[in-house]
């Protein structure tokens, strides 16, 4: 381990390498035990060099973005987490935004607004980073990521930087090629179009107001807990199965929107996972529907 840290110190600032770091400080659920090593590179070059060192070590490695779709279990993570949220550069070329994965969707939508570029309004209120949104093909209201992506840039397993055109990204409902391969996303090219500043701003305001009215944004969560089953709405199934407001420990099904499991302030990851399992069993029993989670779970109980 000492030798590994020494190598990492040669390519990254020491303050961006943390040992036994509590992951509750790095996820939107605000729960999770410590990870052995947390790496927070600030440039593509640092990501590439840190990845090469970590892969050489054969220690388990997880790559995360903003942690807004992630549940780290209470026992923490044995291994290394590399977090890409330090990569936030954006370049505007005409109607194309070339962005790094760590920028928040809100900040990126604000940049598009200032440039009078339309197409990103739907994403302005989605919590989390661009990288996570691309990986999960996030969507809301009238849009989803696949509709505005031109290409993505990844570091492959062998350390090469490849550009993948949108046609090869295999986007579907909450899925992409990034879930299939051990690639690390480091760049995204977004194809937008010229619009009217006031129309873009009004649309963003409308979407964000609707989101605030319907979603429990005042509590830690990972956004929508469950994927939408074909032919149903997850939140309605949860509510109709009698789980609105239902709690286990500090975890609760939101009374505002039953599709959200929230942390009321003192939840553990075990509370959240217990509540999710209880909901899944109840919905299966009542409606015969298997609810699958949008949330990614890592770590040890």
């Amino acid at each position: 381990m000492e030798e590994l840290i020494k190598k990492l110190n040669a390519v990254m600032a020491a303050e961006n390498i943390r040992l036994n770091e509590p992951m509750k400080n790095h996820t939107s659920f605000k729960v999770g035990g410590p990870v052995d090593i947390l790496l927070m590179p600030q440039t593509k070059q640092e990501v590439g060099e840190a990845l090469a060192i970590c892969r050489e070590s054969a220690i388990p490695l997880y790559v995360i973005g903003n942690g807004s779709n992630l549940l780290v279990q209470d026992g923490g993570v044995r291994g290394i987490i590399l977090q890409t949220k330090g990569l936030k550069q954006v370049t505007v070329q005409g109607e194309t935004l070339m962005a790094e994965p760590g920028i928040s969707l809100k900040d990126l939508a604000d940049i598009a607004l200032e440039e009078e570029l339309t197409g990103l309004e739907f994403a302005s209120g989605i919590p989390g980073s661009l990288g996570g949104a691309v990986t999960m093909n996030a969507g809301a209201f009238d849009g989803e990521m696949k509709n505005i992506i031109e290409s993505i840039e990844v570091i492959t397993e062998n350390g090469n930087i490849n550009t993948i055109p949108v046609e090869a990204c295999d986007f579907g409902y909450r899925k992409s090629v990034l879930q299939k391969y051990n690639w690390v996303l480091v760049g995204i090219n977004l194809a937008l179009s010229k619009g009217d500043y006031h129309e873009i701003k009004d649309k963003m305001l409308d979407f964000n107001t609707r989101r605030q009215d319907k979603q429990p944004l005042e509590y830690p969560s990972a956004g929508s807990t469950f994927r939408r089953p074909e032919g149903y709405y997850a939140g309605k199934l949860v509510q109709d199965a009698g789980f609105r407001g239902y709690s286990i420990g500090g975890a609760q099904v939101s009374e505002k929107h039953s599709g959200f499991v929230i942390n009321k302030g003192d939840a553990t990851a075990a509370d959240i996972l217990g509540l999710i399992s209880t909901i899944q069993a109840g919905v299966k029993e009542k409606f015969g529907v298997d609810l699958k989670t949008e949330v990614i779970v890592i770590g040890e109980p």
Side-chain angles (χ1 to χ4, degrees):
M1 188 73 84
E2 269 183 43
E3 186 59 32
L4 174 66
I5 299 299
K6 191 174 167 187
K7 286 180 181 177
L8 288 166
N9 271 320
V11 301
M12 284 174 59
E15 66 261 27
N16 294 325
I17 303 170
R18 299 190 186 173
L19 307 183
N20 297 313
E21 176 72 10
M23 285 308 295
K24 68 180 181 182
N25 299 335
H26 301 275
T27 64
S28 60
F29 252 135
K30 305 297 182 197
V31 301
V35 61
D36 293 341
I37 303 173
L38 176 67
L39 303 178
M40 298 181 289
Q42 302 298 300
T43 65
K44 287 182 188 179
Q45 184 178 341
E46 286 184 4
V47 171
E49 291 175 346
L51 272 175
I53 292 165
C54 293
R55 285 171 173 168
E56 226 174 59
S57 76
I59 293 171
L61 172 68
Y62 303 86
V63 178
I64 70 169
N66 210 32
S68 52
N69 201 36
L70 184 70
L71 179 60
V72 178
Q73 297 198 74
D74 300 311
V77 177
R78 304 289 69 77
I80 304 165
I81 289 179
L82 186 149
Q83 187 171 45
T84 60
K85 78 172 187 178
L87 278 65
K88 296 181 178 177
Q89 293 296 311
V90 179
T91 306
V92 183
Q93 273 193 359
E95 296 177 5
T96 301
L97 289 187
M98 291 170 287
E100 292 184 342
I103 189 165
S104 74
L105 289 170
K106 180 191 179 303
D107 288 348
L108 190 63
D110 285 345
I111 291 170
L113 170 65
E114 290 307 316
E115 297 290 333
E116 298 184 9
L117 294 173
T118 182
L120 253 178
E121 294 91 331
F122 77 92
S124 63
I126 297 176
S129 66
L130 173 62
V134 174
T135 301
M136 296 295 289
N137 186 29
F141 302 111
D142 66 347
E144 54 186 332
M145 294 308 301
K146 72 174 186 179
N147 298 335
I148 55 172
I149 289 173
E150 203 169 73
S151 62
I152 62 174
E153 191 179 6
V154 300
I155 299 176
T156 62
E157 294 96 325
N158 57 14
N160 293 335
I161 294 186
N162 286 358
T163 298
I164 314 293
V166 67
E167 308 83 56
C169 288
D170 193 26
F171 286 120
Y173 176 66
R174 301 298 177 262
K175 81 177 184 80
S176 73
V177 71
L178 293 163
Q179 295 162 11
K180 289 184 181 178
Y181 298 107
N182 199 17
W183 296 344
V184 178
L185 181 66
V186 291
I188 304 98
N189 288 329
L190 301 167
L192 304 179
S193 52
K194 271 293 175 190
D196 176 80
Y197 178 90
H198 297 289
E199 285 179 14
I200 296 167
K201 190 171 185 177
D202 287 348
K203 196 172 185 183
M204 285 168 60
L205 186 62
D206 174 46
F207 286 165
N208 292 341
T209 302
R210 283 154 66 183
R211 186 182 293 276
Q212 285 160 10
D213 288 346
K214 291 180 180 175
Q215 297 182 5
L217 304 180
E218 65 274 26
Y219 290 104
S221 77
S224 297
T225 306
F226 301 102
R227 293 169 181 252
R228 188 177 66 240
E230 203 170 325
Y232 298 92
Y233 289 102
K236 187 167 184 344
L237 286 172
V238 175
Q239 183 169 314
D240 291 350
F243 288 110
R244 183 179 180 183
Y246 188 86
S247 297
I248 291 180
Q252 183 186 50
V253 176
S254 166
E255 299 199 24
K256 200 172 189 181
H257 189 314
S258 296
F260 285 65
V261 169
I262 59 174
N263 177 359
K264 288 284 281 186
D266 59 350
T268 62
D271 292 341
I272 293 165
L273 287 170
L275 183 53
I276 287 171
S277 296
T278 302
I279 293 164
Q280 286 172 320
V283 168
K284 175 73 170 174
E285 185 182 342
K286 186 151 189 179
F287 302 109
V289 177
D290 289 309
L291 278 184
K292 293 183 168 61
T293 61
E294 287 200 17
V295 182
I296 295 161
V297 181
I298 64 171
E300 301 177 347

